Amino acid sequence: MEAHAGGQDLIFLDESGFAPTMPTGYTWSRVGQRAVVPKEATQNRRVNVLGAKIVGSEPDLVWQRTSGKIDAGMLLEFVCLRPAGLGGGAAVLDLAADGLGIDVIPVWERRRPCTIVLDNASAHAATAFKGRRQQLAKIGVELFYLPPYSPELNDIELVWRQAKYQDYPHRTQTSTDAIGKAVDQAMNHQRDRIRQSATNRIRAA
């Protein structure tokens, strides 16, 4: 794969939601006693997370969380700032991609070109994001859309699963702030594993 060979980065992008009470995969109880798991009412306390798993010479995991909706504008800003590394974010995408004129400011390019893999969710397919595809390509960011109904092809799905079922510290949180902190803790664990796996692979080589 070119990403592992060093030619470019492959980035798997998606969103996931974390509720006040997360699903419980299993639990323990005394024989004859029913296990009771506390449940918190949602009450608009859901935390949504936009994440990108980076595969390449420097594997990494970056994310951004919000208590609001993830729309095309937020997605574009996230891609420009994090995976693309464009300092000014979406606000300077036009300038970075097109320059001020011939031989005045050259097109800004990502240090290593990348391909972002994503599904066809409404924010991903919206004109406000997908309509900037050519400009993103100019700065070294290609978009690759997966076929419909194929989440198994997006590697970040495993990150979400492990974050929710293995690394989420407590199944129930009582506030949005508590959910956010639990999300960051789980995602930090995932990022550490991704980085450590890359380090181990380099040592083994």
Side-chain angles (χ1 to χ4, degrees):
M1 179 183 290
E2 191 174 357
H4 290 296
Q8 68 173 36
D9 291 330
L10 188 61
I11 300 176
F12 296 92
L13 183 146
D14 201 8
E15 305 88 38
S16 190
F18 291 74
T21 300
M22 298 296 292
T24 301
Y26 64 89
T27 188
W28 303 96
S29 67
R30 293 181 180 276
V31 175
Q33 292 185 0
R34 182 187 297 272
V36 178
V37 179
K39 180 175 176 60
E40 287 285 329
T42 302
Q43 298 176 348
N44 297 318
R45 289 184 292 168
R46 181 184 176 91
V47 170
N48 294 314
V49 184
L50 181 56
K53 179 183 178 182
I54 303 171
V55 178
S57 61
E58 298 178 359
D60 206 352
L61 178 67
V62 295
W63 68 92
Q64 176 182 334
R65 55 182 172 85
T66 177
S67 57
K69 180 181 178 181
I70 296 176
D71 58 17
M74 180 181 295
L75 175 63
L76 182 65
E77 184 70 16
F78 175 78
V79 167
C80 287
L81 283 173
R82 306 304 296 275
L86 183 59
V92 298
L93 179 59
D94 294 346
L95 176 62
D98 303 327
L100 289 175
I102 299 176
D103 298 327
V104 177
I105 293 182
V107 172
W108 181 91
E109 290 183 307
R110 190 178 189 269
R111 183 173 59 87
R112 284 165 48 86
C114 70
T115 297
I116 295 181
V117 179
L118 66 171
D119 60 25
N120 293 274
S122 57
H124 304 173
T127 302
F129 177 73
K130 196 171 183 179
R132 311 296 287 276
R133 193 173 188 172
Q134 290 185 342
Q135 288 180 316
L136 288 170
K138 285 184 178 181
I139 66 171
V141 180
E142 295 280 352
L143 302 181
F144 178 81
Y145 286 86
L146 293 169
Y149 310 112
S150 56
E152 72 280 359
L153 299 179
N154 195 333
D155 271 11
I156 201 171
E157 292 294 341
L158 180 60
V159 170
W160 299 135
R161 191 178 308 120
Q162 291 177 337
K164 290 181 178 183
Y165 286 95
Q166 297 180 21
D167 295 323
Y168 203 71
H170 301 288
R171 308 317 298 167
T172 303
Q173 307 292 341
T174 58
S175 69
T176 302
D177 286 343
I179 298 171
K181 291 177 181 178
V183 166
D184 285 340
Q185 181 175 331
M187 295 296 282
N188 274 314
H189 286 164
Q190 287 296 305
R191 181 176 61 188
D192 290 345
R193 288 197 187 99
I194 290 171
R195 291 176 173 177
Q196 186 60 48
S197 177
T199 300
N200 293 341
R201 186 167 60 247
I202 292 172
R203 288 174 179 172

